[in-house]
Amino acid sequence: SAPTNAILSVTPASIDLGVLTTNASYSIANAGIGTLYWTNMVVEGGAWLSASPANGTQSGLVTLSADRTGLAYGSYTGRVAVTASGDVAVQYVTVYLQKTPAKLTVSPLALDFAGSHALLTFNVNNAGADTLHWTNTVVSGAAWLSVAPPRGVQAAW
């Protein structure tokens, strides 16, 4: 038979933020009839996880924000409880994230000055999820070779 009241529907039930993503969203919908009043509450991961808006009516999109600042390296799980007026069942959105250290990558790994090139470039990148502080130093060929800039900082996100 057809529903006669508002019914809470939350999708997806889990979100994996991985190592770099800081924002994601989930949808709240009314799978029944009538007016749906819903509320979000972070019940696990409160130090690093937030959900906005905290409440709404009928359908809506909720934005999750993760702040890795101050977290130790590792894997984390958070949960948001979504409740609705008239619906006794609580639905949960489980959120996963990882915090990993910075990871230096350089490309290309070799440069060839043969021919007419007097200026060659290489890229320094951060393939990790923490801030990378890097330094360039000429260790061989100092009489004819220089590198600039000598140092830099690259945020993870």
Side-chain angles (χ1 to χ4, degrees):
S1 71
T4 59
N5 60 328
I7 299 173
L8 177 64
S9 173
V10 180
T11 55
S14 67
I15 295 172
D16 187 352
L17 297 175
V19 297
L20 295 176
T21 305
T22 57
N23 295 303
S25 60
Y26 59 90
S27 297
I28 296 177
N30 183 356
I33 61 171
T35 303
L36 178 73
Y37 300 96
W38 48 266
T39 303
N40 292 301
M41 181 187 306
V42 175
V43 293
E44 185 181 338
W48 56 267
L49 181 62
S50 63
S52 179
N55 53 58
T57 305
Q58 292 299 77
S59 299
L61 191 64
V62 177
T63 301
L64 295 170
S65 297
D67 182 2
R68 290 175 174 82
T69 306
L71 292 179
Y73 298 134
S75 298
Y76 294 85
T77 301
R79 288 189 343 153
V80 179
V82 184
T83 58
S85 60
D87 195 342
V88 294
V90 175
Q91 294 188 31
Y92 294 95
V93 177
T94 304
V95 182
Y96 304 97
L97 74 74
Q98 295 179 344
K99 182 170 180 185
T100 59
K103 181 180 178 185
L104 174 68
T105 63
V106 178
S107 65
L109 294 176
L111 297 172
D112 185 357
F113 284 93
S116 62
H117 298 289
L119 177 66
L120 296 176
T121 61
F122 61 93
N123 295 311
V124 176
N125 293 304
N126 183 2
D130 205 353
T131 302
L132 175 68
H133 298 267
W134 53 267
T135 303
N136 286 321
T137 305
V138 175
V139 294
S140 177
W144 60 270
L145 184 62
S146 65
V147 64
R151 70 186 63 76
V153 177
Q154 192 172 27
W157 51 82

